[in-house]
Amino acid sequence: MADEPLVLGIETSCDETGVGIVRGTTLLADAVASSVNDHARFGGVVPEIASRAHLEAMVPTIRRALDTAGVRASDLDGIAVTAGPGLAGALLVGVSAAKAYAWALDKPLYGVNHLASHICVDQLEHGRLPEPTMALLVSGGHSSLLLSSDITSDVRPLGATIDDAAGEAFDKVARVLGLGFPGGPVVDRMAREGDGKAIAFPRGLNNAGDPAYDFSFSGLKTAVARWVEARRRAGEPVPVADVAASFQEAVTDVLTRKAVRACKDNGVDHLMIGGGVAANSRLREMAQQRCDKAGIVLRVPRPGLCTDNGAMVAALGAEMVWRDRAPSSFDLSADSSLPVTETHVPGAEHGSVHAHAHEALK
Ligand code: KG4
Ligand code: ZN
């Protein structure tokens, strides 16, 4: 294995242009430019607006990250980029930029999985992940329980949502309550003023005989919408804080219960929680209580590293270099539905970007 490698990571799968620089498991820079305000009036991310914003922000954000880290681009050991999953057009901007830098600097290129990056980022906070690690991945597009024995090559899905992702449910409930977009942070804030036990919202797939590690949040979302609708129709005020807190309680109850169960069933004593929803204060609190009780060590990155960022991509890229994984080839594509099991996209057919660059320059 190499010395702790210096890697720059580029993330453009959604509405954050993230550029991170890490040395091994040490975070040196985490520059993020967000287009979130450009999407707010549409109530969700508009793919073309996101792509254009990435194009504008890319080079300045890379420059900012290099400045903050105090390193030169020529010192890098590799360039990592999110190859998927995510918005196709948005991913293409990051992948193209990563290729341009890798080509110009003659550095190896690593196309990595966004979801594995959300797990690997915890190495920047708590050191190398134990093997195996159970990961609860909860974001705007995914909610899964994953068992990983090596974050660069082995991520095994145990269960996932059968309908909405957890973050999607937060965003939809926020819309119903008129709280704006994105919903997670504002529901989290609102819920602090409310009573999580005020309303008994349903817990999806929580009965005996239901799949143990799968999730369902669509019924909960509908139950919240119906409850709010009934109050409005009756001309009664909607207790927004109580609804937010009770909804949040239902989501976090199911997520933490199933995650702890997955750890116990599989004899795994470490639980990692990653993805945007891992920034949720109640989820973090409840997970800590339940893990303490079950004798499980909980690892959750600080909130800023849970939501999309470039450092997580750099963290996984650095791990790829450290473990001597093959770089991606120059024909690396973006895959909007890259499966979680494909931690990175190697270039089997055409050799590494290095070989390509040298050949082209001959
Ligand atoms: O991982 P992420 O930044 O992007 C995706 O890969 O999807 O996750 C975004 C999701 C959004 O649905 C957002 O509402 C949710 O994470 N989120 C939260 C919180 N912060 C962000 N959900 C609950 N509580 C939060 N504090
Ligand atoms: Zn994400």
Side-chain angles (χ1 to χ4, degrees):
M1 287 183 194
D3 289 340
E4 295 289 341
L6 183 68
V7 172
L8 179 141
I10 299 175
E11 153 63 33
T12 63
S13 71
C14 194
D15 59 344
E16 324 278 354
T17 311
V19 179
I21 299 177
V22 311
R23 190 184 294 282
T25 59
T26 305
L27 176 63
L28 302 182
D30 182 20
V32 179
S34 178
S35 63
V36 66
N37 293 333
D38 302 338
H39 307 283
R41 69 194 171 101
F42 300 103
V45 175
V46 181
E48 177 153 341
I49 293 177
S51 305
R52 286 167 187 269
H54 288 312
L55 202 51
E56 287 170 13
M58 184 55 66
V59 172
T61 311
I62 287 179
R63 290 221 175 107
R64 196 147 52 88
L66 287 167
D67 280 354
T68 306
V71 299
R72 284 175 311 192
S74 55
D75 296 334
L76 295 169
D77 295 307
I79 310 279
V81 62
T82 302
L87 302 170
L91 290 167
L92 289 176
V93 178
V95 169
S96 301
K99 284 185 186 182
Y101 277 91
W103 173 279
L105 297 165
D106 191 20
K107 306 288 181 189
L109 171 75
Y110 295 85
V112 302
N113 191 304
H114 180 82
L115 307 174
S117 302
H118 267 307
I119 301 172
C120 195
V121 72
D122 193 54
Q123 299 205 137
L124 304 178
E125 291 259 270
H126 302 112
R128 286 217 148 74
L129 288 163
E131 297 171 348
T133 287
M134 186 67 68
L136 171 64
L137 180 89
V138 273
S139 70
H142 294 82
S143 299
S144 305
L145 273 167
L146 307 163
L147 184 57
S148 172
S149 67
D150 170 348
I151 195 57
T152 64
S153 65
D154 174 43
V155 175
R156 189 151 56 89
L158 299 183
T161 179
I162 59 165
D163 40 55
D164 293 352
E168 207 178 336
F170 270 94
D171 294 335
K172 287 176 178 169
V173 163
R175 200 176 310 156
V176 166
L177 293 173
L179 297 175
F181 174 85
V186 61
V187 169
D188 191 347
R189 265 198 315 277
M190 263 296 161
R192 277 177 220 162
E193 318 287 316
D195 175 6
K197 295 195 183 79
I199 309 153
F201 286 129
R203 270 71 169 152
L205 296 185
N206 202 36
N207 296 320
D210 284 339
Y213 310 135
D214 285 339
F215 304 105
S216 167
F217 297 112
S218 151
L220 169 62
K221 167 196 73 187
T222 309
V224 173
R226 287 217 179 109
W227 195 93
V228 169
E229 176 68 9
R231 288 295 280 243
R232 285 189 182 138
R233 227 181 295 123
E236 290 168 26
V238 177
V240 174
D242 283 349
V243 175
S246 301
F247 156 77
Q248 182 173 273
E249 198 70 12
V251 174
T252 51
D253 179 23
V254 176
L255 288 175
T256 53
R257 188 191 305 269
K258 294 202 173 202
V260 167
R261 173 154 179 206
C263 287
K264 283 189 186 161
D265 290 355
N266 290 276
V268 176
D269 59 4
H270 279 78
L271 173 66
M272 187 273 156
I273 309 186
V277 181
N280 184 268
S281 58
R282 180 62 181 139
L283 176 62
R284 301 168 78 95
E285 180 185 57
M286 197 188 281
Q288 192 64 63
Q289 285 162 358
R290 291 188 171 172
C291 281
D292 287 349
K293 205 163 156 220
I296 296 165
V297 179
L298 177 67
R299 296 172 54 126
V300 197
R302 77 180 101 109
L305 290 178
C306 291
T307 46
D308 289 348
N309 63 82
M312 65 190 215
V313 180
L316 183 52
E319 196 63 21
M320 295 284 171
V321 177
W322 194 66
R323 290 183 188 257
D324 277 333
R325 299 285 175 240
S328 302
S329 65
F330 233 117
D331 58 4
L332 172 69
S333 187
D335 183 348
S336 58
S337 53
L338 188 68
V340 68
T341 47
E342 288 179 32
T343 52
H344 68 299
V345 185
E349 261 184 65
H350 304 280
S352 73
V353 63
H354 252 105
H356 260 279
H358 287 306
E359 241 165 65
L361 291 172
K362 266 185 207 160

